[in-house]
Coordinates of all heavy atoms in Angstrom, one line a residue:
A1 N 143.9 73.2 86.8 CA 143.0 74.1 86.1 C 143.8 75.4 85.8 O 144.6 75.8 86.5 CB 141.8 74.4 87.0
I2 N 143.4 76.0 84.7 CA 144.0 77.3 84.3 C 142.8 78.3 84.4 O 141.8 78.0 83.7 CB 144.6 77.3 83.0 CG1 145.8 76.3 82.9 CG2 145.1 78.7 82.6 CD1 146.5 76.3 81.6
A3 N 142.9 79.4 85.1 CA 141.9 80.3 85.2 C 142.3 81.6 84.5 O 143.3 82.2 84.8 CB 141.5 80.6 86.7
V4 N 141.4 82.1 83.6 CA 141.7 83.4 82.9 C 140.5 84.2 83.1 O 139.3 83.8 83.2 CB 141.8 83.1 81.4 CG1 142.0 84.4 80.6 CG2 142.9 82.1 81.1
G5 N 140.7 85.5 83.3 CA 139.6 86.5 83.5 C 138.9 86.2 84.8 O 137.6 85.9 84.9
I6 N 139.6 86.1 85.9 CA 139.1 85.6 87.2 C 138.4 86.7 88.0 O 138.5 86.7 89.3 CB 140.2 84.9 88.0 CG1 141.4 85.8 88.0 CG2 140.5 83.6 87.4 CD1 142.5 85.2 88.8
E7 N 137.9 87.7 87.4 CA 137.2 88.8 88.1 C 135.7 88.5 88.3 O 135.1 89.1 89.2 CB 137.4 90.1 87.4 CG 138.9 90.5 87.2 CD 139.7 90.5 88.5 OE1 139.2 91.0 89.5 OE2 140.9 90.0 88.4
G8 N 135.1 87.7 87.5 CA 133.7 87.4 87.6 C 133.3 86.4 88.6 O 134.2 85.5 88.9
P9 N 132.1 86.4 89.2 CA 131.7 85.5 90.2 C 131.7 84.0 89.7 O 132.0 83.1 90.5 CB 130.3 85.9 90.6 CG 129.8 86.7 89.5 CD 131.0 87.3 88.8
G10 N 131.4 83.7 88.5 CA 131.4 82.4 88.0 C 132.8 81.8 88.0 O 133.0 80.6 88.5
T11 N 133.8 82.5 87.5 CA 135.1 82.0 87.4 C 135.7 81.9 88.8 O 136.4 80.9 89.2 CB 136.0 82.9 86.6 OG1 135.4 83.1 85.3 CG2 137.4 82.3 86.4
V12 N 135.4 82.8 89.7 CA 135.9 82.8 91.1 C 135.4 81.5 91.8 O 136.1 80.8 92.4 CB 135.5 84.0 91.9 CG1 135.7 83.8 93.4 CG2 136.2 85.2 91.4
S13 N 134.1 81.2 91.5 CA 133.5 80.0 92.2 C 134.2 78.7 91.6 O 134.4 77.7 92.3 CB 132.0 79.9 92.1 OG 131.6 79.8 90.7
E14 N 134.4 78.7 90.3 CA 135.1 77.5 89.7 C 136.5 77.3 90.2 O 136.9 76.2 90.5 CB 135.1 77.7 88.1 CG 133.8 77.6 87.5 CD 133.2 76.3 87.5 OE1 133.9 75.3 87.5 OE2 131.9 76.2 87.6
V15 N 137.2 78.4 90.4 CA 138.6 78.3 91.0 C 138.5 77.8 92.4 O 139.2 76.9 92.8 CB 139.4 79.6 90.9 CG1 140.7 79.5 91.6 CG2 139.6 79.9 89.4
A16 N 137.6 78.3 93.2 CA 137.4 77.9 94.6 C 137.0 76.4 94.7 O 137.6 75.7 95.5 CB 136.3 78.8 95.2
L17 N 136.2 76.0 93.8 CA 135.8 74.5 93.7 C 137.0 73.7 93.4 O 137.2 72.6 94.0 CB 134.7 74.3 92.8 CG 133.3 74.8 93.2 CD1 132.3 74.7 92.0 CD2 132.8 74.0 94.4
A18 N 137.8 74.1 92.4 CA 139.0 73.3 92.1 C 140.0 73.3 93.3 O 140.5 72.2 93.6 CB 139.7 74.0 90.9
L19 N 140.2 74.4 93.9 CA 141.1 74.4 95.1 C 140.5 73.5 96.2 O 141.3 72.8 96.9 CB 141.3 75.8 95.6 CG 142.1 76.7 94.7 CD1 142.0 78.2 95.2 CD2 143.5 76.3 94.5
K20 N 139.2 73.6 96.4 CA 138.6 72.8 97.5 C 138.7 71.3 97.2 O 138.9 70.4 98.1 CB 137.1 73.1 97.6 CG 136.4 72.4 98.7 CD 135.0 72.8 98.9 CE 134.3 72.1 100.0 NZ 132.9 72.5 100.2
A21 N 138.7 70.9 95.9 CA 138.9 69.5 95.5 C 140.4 69.1 95.4 O 140.7 68.0 95.1 CB 138.3 69.3 94.1
G22 N 141.3 70.0 95.8 CA 142.7 69.7 95.9 C 143.4 69.7 94.5 O 144.5 69.2 94.4
K23 N 142.8 70.4 93.5 CA 143.4 70.5 92.2 C 144.3 71.7 92.1 O 143.9 72.8 92.6 CB 142.3 70.6 91.1 CG 141.3 69.5 91.1 CD 141.9 68.2 90.8 CE 140.9 67.1 90.7 NZ 141.5 65.8 90.5
P24 N 145.5 71.6 91.6 CA 146.4 72.7 91.4 C 145.7 73.7 90.4 O 145.0 73.3 89.5 CB 147.7 72.2 90.9 CG 147.3 70.8 90.3 CD 146.1 70.3 91.1
V25 N 145.9 75.0 90.6 CA 145.3 76.0 89.8 C 146.4 77.0 89.3 O 147.3 77.4 90.1 CB 144.2 76.8 90.5 CG1 143.7 78.0 89.7 CG2 143.1 75.9 90.9
I26 N 146.4 77.3 88.0 CA 147.3 78.3 87.5 C 146.4 79.6 87.2 O 145.4 79.5 86.4 CB 148.0 77.9 86.2 CG1 148.8 76.6 86.5 CG2 148.8 79.0 85.6 CD1 149.4 76.0 85.2
L27 N 146.7 80.7 87.8 CA 146.0 81.9 87.5 C 146.8 82.6 86.4 O 148.0 82.9 86.5 CB 146.0 82.8 88.8 CG 145.4 82.2 90.0 CD1 145.6 83.1 91.2 CD2 144.0 81.8 89.8
L28 N 146.1 83.0 85.3 CA 146.7 83.7 84.2 C 146.4 85.2 84.3 O 145.3 85.6 84.1 CB 146.2 83.1 82.9 CG 146.8 83.6 81.6 CD1 148.3 83.5 81.6 CD2 146.2 82.9 80.4
G29 N 147.5 85.9 84.6 CA 147.4 87.4 84.7 C 146.4 87.8 85.8 O 145.6 88.7 85.5
P30 N 146.4 87.3 87.0 CA 145.4 87.7 88.0 C 145.7 89.2 88.5 O 146.8 89.6 88.5 CB 145.6 86.7 89.1 CG 147.1 86.4 89.0 CD 147.4 86.4 87.5
S31 N 144.6 89.8 89.0 CA 144.8 91.1 89.7 C 145.4 90.8 91.1 O 145.3 89.6 91.5 CB 143.5 91.8 89.8 OG 142.6 91.0 90.6
A32 N 145.8 91.8 91.7 CA 146.3 91.7 93.1 C 145.2 91.2 94.0 O 145.5 90.3 94.9 CB 146.9 93.0 93.6
A33 N 144.0 91.7 93.8 CA 142.9 91.2 94.7 C 142.5 89.8 94.5 O 142.3 89.0 95.4 CB 141.6 92.1 94.4
A34 N 142.6 89.3 93.2 CA 142.3 87.9 92.9 C 143.4 87.0 93.5 O 143.1 86.0 94.1 CB 142.1 87.7 91.4
R35 N 144.6 87.4 93.3 CA 145.7 86.6 93.9 C 145.6 86.5 95.4 O 145.7 85.4 95.9 CB 147.0 87.4 93.5 CG 148.3 86.6 93.9 CD 149.6 87.4 93.6 NE 149.6 87.9 92.2 CZ 149.5 89.2 91.9 NH1 149.4 90.1 92.9 NH2 149.5 89.6 90.7
E36 N 145.3 87.6 96.1 CA 145.1 87.6 97.5 C 144.0 86.7 98.0 O 144.1 85.9 98.9 CB 144.9 89.0 98.1 CG 144.8 89.1 99.6 CD 144.7 90.5 100.1 OE1 144.9 91.5 99.3 OE2 144.3 90.6 101.3
L37 N 142.8 86.8 97.3 CA 141.7 86.0 97.6 C 142.0 84.5 97.5 O 141.7 83.8 98.5 CB 140.5 86.3 96.6 CG 139.3 85.3 96.7 CD1 138.6 85.5 98.0 CD2 138.4 85.5 95.5
F38 N 142.6 84.1 96.5 CA 142.9 82.6 96.3 C 144.0 82.2 97.2 O 144.0 81.0 97.6 CB 143.1 82.3 94.8 CG 141.9 82.5 94.0 CD1 141.9 83.3 92.9 CD2 140.7 81.8 94.3 CE1 140.8 83.5 92.2 CE2 139.6 82.0 93.6 CZ 139.6 82.9 92.5
E39 N 145.0 83.0 97.5 CA 146.0 82.7 98.5 C 145.4 82.4 99.8 O 145.9 81.5 100.6 CB 147.0 83.8 98.6 CG 148.1 83.8 97.5 CD 149.0 82.6 97.6 OE1 149.3 82.1 98.7 OE2 149.6 82.3 96.5
N40 N 144.3 83.1 100.2 CA 143.7 82.9 101.5 C 142.8 81.7 101.6 O 142.5 81.2 102.7 CB 142.9 84.2 101.8 CG 143.7 85.4 102.2 OD1 144.8 85.2 102.7 ND2 143.3 86.5 101.8
V41 N 142.4 81.1 100.4 CA 141.5 80.0 100.5 C 142.1 78.7 99.9 O 141.5 77.6 100.0 CB 140.2 80.2 99.7 CG1 139.4 81.4 100.2 CG2 140.5 80.4 98.2
R42 N 143.4 78.7 99.5 CA 144.0 77.6 98.9 C 144.4 76.4 99.8 O 144.6 75.3 99.3 CB 145.2 78.0 98.0 CG 146.4 78.4 98.8 CD 147.5 78.8 97.9 NE 148.7 79.1 98.7 CZ 149.7 78.3 99.0 NH1 149.6 77.0 98.5 NH2 150.7 78.7 99.7
N43 N 144.5 76.7 101.1 CA 145.0 75.7 102.0 C 146.4 75.2 101.5 O 147.3 76.0 101.3 CB 144.1 74.5 102.2 CG 142.8 75.0 102.9 OD1 142.8 75.8 103.8 ND2 141.7 74.5 102.4
D44 N 146.6 73.9 101.4 CA 147.9 73.4 100.9 C 148.0 73.1 99.4 O 148.9 72.4 98.9 CB 148.3 72.2 101.7 CG 148.6 72.5 103.2 OD1 149.1 73.6 103.4 OD2 148.4 71.6 104.0
V45 N 147.0 73.5 98.7 CA 146.9 73.2 97.2 C 147.8 74.2 96.5 O 147.9 75.4 96.8 CB 145.4 73.4 96.8 CG1 145.3 73.1 95.3 CG2 144.5 72.5 97.5
R46 N 148.4 73.6 95.4 CA 149.4 74.5 94.6 C 148.6 75.5 93.9 O 147.6 75.2 93.1 CB 150.1 73.6 93.7 CG 151.1 72.7 94.5 CD 152.1 72.1 93.6 NE 153.1 73.1 93.1 CZ 154.0 72.9 92.2 NH1 154.2 71.6 91.8 NH2 154.8 73.8 91.8
L47 N 149.0 76.8 94.0 CA 148.4 77.9 93.3 C 149.6 78.6 92.6 O 150.5 79.2 93.3 CB 147.7 78.8 94.3 CG 147.0 80.0 93.7 CD1 145.9 79.6 92.8 CD2 146.5 81.0 94.8
L48 N 149.6 78.5 91.3 CA 150.6 79.1 90.5 C 150.1 80.3 89.7 O 148.9 80.4 89.5 CB 151.2 78.0 89.5 CG 151.7 76.7 90.2 CD1 151.9 75.7 89.2 CD2 152.9 77.0 91.0
E49 N 151.0 81.1 89.3 CA 150.7 82.3 88.5 C 151.5 82.4 87.2 O 152.7 82.2 87.3 CB 150.9 83.5 89.4 CG 150.4 84.8 88.7 CD 150.6 86.0 89.6 OE1 150.6 85.8 90.9 OE2 150.8 87.1 89.1
A50 N 150.8 82.7 86.1 CA 151.5 82.9 84.9 C 151.1 84.2 84.3 O 150.0 84.7 84.5 CB 151.1 81.8 83.9
S51 N 152.0 84.9 83.6 CA 151.7 86.2 83.0 C 151.3 86.0 81.5 O 150.7 86.9 80.9 CB 152.8 87.2 83.2 OG 154.0 86.6 82.6
T52 N 151.7 84.9 80.9 CA 151.3 84.6 79.5 C 150.8 83.2 79.3 O 151.1 82.3 80.2 CB 152.6 84.8 78.6 OG1 153.5 83.8 78.9 CG2 153.2 86.2 78.7
P53 N 150.1 82.9 78.3 CA 149.7 81.5 78.0 C 150.9 80.6 77.9 O 150.9 79.5 78.3 CB 148.9 81.6 76.7 CG 148.4 83.0 76.7 CD 149.5 83.9 77.3
A54 N 152.0 81.1 77.2 CA 153.2 80.2 77.1 C 153.8 79.9 78.5 O 154.2 78.7 78.7 CB 154.2 80.9 76.3
E55 N 153.7 80.8 79.4 CA 154.2 80.5 80.7 C 153.3 79.5 81.4 O 153.8 78.6 82.2 CB 154.3 81.8 81.5 CG 155.0 81.6 82.9 CD 155.1 82.9 83.7 OE1 154.6 83.9 83.3 OE2 155.7 82.8 84.8
A56 N 152.0 79.6 81.2 CA 151.1 78.6 81.8 C 151.4 77.2 81.3 O 151.4 76.3 82.1 CB 149.6 79.0 81.5
L57 N 151.7 77.1 80.0 CA 152.0 75.8 79.5 C 153.3 75.3 80.1 O 153.4 74.1 80.4 CB 152.2 75.9 77.9 CG 150.9 76.2 77.2 CD1 151.2 76.3 75.7 CD2 149.8 75.1 77.4
R58 N 154.3 76.1 80.3 CA 155.5 75.7 80.9 C 155.3 75.2 82.3 O 155.9 74.2 82.7 CB 156.5 76.9 80.9 CG 157.9 76.5 81.4 CD 158.8 77.6 81.7 NE 158.3 78.5 82.8 CZ 158.2 78.3 84.1 NH1 158.7 77.2 84.5 NH2 157.7 79.2 84.9
L59 N 154.4 75.9 83.0 CA 154.1 75.5 84.4 C 153.4 74.2 84.4 O 153.7 73.3 85.3 CB 153.2 76.6 85.1 CG 153.8 77.9 85.4 CD1 152.8 78.9 85.9 CD2 154.9 77.7 86.5
I60 N 152.6 73.9 83.5 CA 151.9 72.6 83.4 C 152.9 71.5 83.2 O 152.9 70.5 83.9 CB 150.9 72.6 82.3 CG1 149.7 73.5 82.6 CG2 150.4 71.1 82.0 CD1 148.8 73.7 81.4
E61 N 153.9 71.7 82.3 CA 154.8 70.7 82.0 C 155.9 70.5 83.0 O 156.3 69.4 83.3 CB 155.5 71.0 80.6 CG 154.5 70.8 79.4 CD 155.2 71.1 78.1 OE1 155.9 72.1 78.0 OE2 155.0 70.2 77.2
H62 N 156.4 71.6 83.5 CA 157.6 71.6 84.4 C 157.2 71.6 85.9 O 157.7 70.8 86.7 CB 158.6 72.7 84.0 CG 159.1 72.5 82.7 ND1 160.0 71.6 82.3 CD2 158.8 73.2 81.5 CE1 160.2 71.7 81.0 NE2 159.5 72.7 80.5
D63 N 156.4 72.5 86.3 CA 156.1 72.6 87.7 C 155.1 71.6 88.2 O 155.1 71.1 89.3 CB 155.6 74.0 88.1 CG 156.7 75.1 88.0 OD1 157.6 75.0 87.2 OD2 156.7 76.0 88.9
L64 N 154.1 71.3 87.3 CA 153.1 70.3 87.7 C 153.5 68.9 87.1 O 152.8 67.9 87.4 CB 151.7 70.7 87.2 CG 151.2 72.0 87.7 CD1 149.8 72.4 87.1 CD2 151.1 72.0 89.3
D65 N 154.5 68.8 86.3 CA 155.1 67.6 85.8 C 154.0 66.8 85.0 O 153.8 65.6 85.2 CB 155.6 66.7 86.9 CG 156.6 65.6 86.4 OD1 157.2 65.9 85.4 OD2 156.7 64.6 87.1
V66 N 153.3 67.5 84.2 CA 152.3 66.8 83.3 C 152.9 66.9 81.9 O 153.1 67.9 81.3 CB 150.9 67.5 83.3 CG1 150.0 66.9 82.4 CG2 150.4 67.5 84.8
A67 N 153.1 65.7 81.3 CA 153.6 65.6 80.0 C 152.6 66.2 78.9 O 151.4 66.0 79.1 CB 154.0 64.2 79.6
R68 N 153.2 66.8 77.9 CA 152.3 67.4 76.9 C 151.3 66.5 76.3 O 150.2 66.8 76.1 CB 153.2 68.0 75.8 CG 152.3 68.8 74.8 CD 153.2 69.5 73.8 NE 153.9 70.6 74.5 CZ 154.1 71.8 74.1 NH1 153.6 72.1 72.9 NH2 154.7 72.7 74.8
W69 N 151.7 65.2 76.0 CA 150.8 64.3 75.4 C 149.6 63.9 76.3 O 148.6 63.6 75.9 CB 151.5 63.0 75.0 CG 152.2 62.3 76.1 CD1 153.4 62.4 76.6 CD2 151.6 61.3 77.0 NE1 153.7 61.6 77.7 CE2 152.5 60.9 77.9 CE3 150.3 60.7 77.0 CZ2 152.3 59.9 78.9 CZ3 150.1 59.7 78.0 CH2 151.0 59.4 78.9
E70 N 149.8 64.1 77.7 CA 148.7 63.8 78.6 C 147.6 64.9 78.5 O 146.4 64.5 78.7 CB 149.3 63.8 80.0 CG 150.1 62.6 80.3 CD 150.6 62.6 81.8 OE1 149.8 62.8 82.7 OE2 151.8 62.4 82.0
W71 N 147.9 66.1 78.3 CA 146.9 67.1 78.3 C 146.5 67.5 76.9 O 145.5 68.2 76.7 CB 147.3 68.4 79.1 CG 148.6 69.0 78.8 CD1 149.8 68.8 79.4 CD2 148.9 70.1 77.9 NE1 150.8 69.5 78.9 CE2 150.2 70.4 78.0 CE3 148.1 70.8 77.0 CZ2 150.9 71.3 77.2 CZ3 148.7 71.7 76.2 CH2 150.1 72.0 76.3
L72 N 147.1 67.0 75.9 CA 146.7 67.2 74.5 C 145.6 66.2 74.1 O 144.9 66.3 73.1 CB 147.8 67.2 73.5 CG 148.7 68.4 73.5 CD1 149.9 68.2 72.6 CD2 148.0 69.7 73.2
G73 N 145.5 65.1 74.9 CA 144.5 64.1 74.7 C 144.8 63.1 73.7 O 144.2 62.3 73.2

């Protein structure tokens, strides 16, 4: 999952559900408070951070090892 604008309660709950389900999450430009919150609830699930959309795509392909054709549908 890629989370953008993670300051609202709806997005926070969606990220928490993804982490609880064991899904890796990429936070796009998170605040320090959001980063700390999710670090505390992630358990052993991968939590990555990107500062730009291009960096998020790179993380998907290289760090999460998901080929571009798999997520383009």
Side-chain angles (χ1 to χ4, degrees):
I2 298 178
V4 180
I6 50 179
E7 304 303 321
T11 308
V12 169
S13 66
E14 291 292 328
V15 171
L17 287 170
L19 292 171
K20 184 176 180 180
K23 304 293 183 185
V25 173
I26 299 172
L27 303 176
L28 182 57
S31 66
R35 185 180 313 110
E36 183 179 348
L37 169 69
F38 294 121
E39 279 292 334
N40 289 328
V41 299
R42 73 181 181 93
N43 295 320
D44 291 330
V45 178
R46 292 196 66 186
L47 182 65
L48 305 168
E49 185 178 330
S51 57
T52 66
E55 185 180 6
L57 295 176
R58 185 192 61 75
L59 290 171
I60 291 169
E61 291 182 312
H62 298 287
D63 288 36
L64 299 178
D65 199 28
V66 177
R68 184 173 294 224
W69 61 269
E70 288 181 47
W71 52 267
L72 287 177

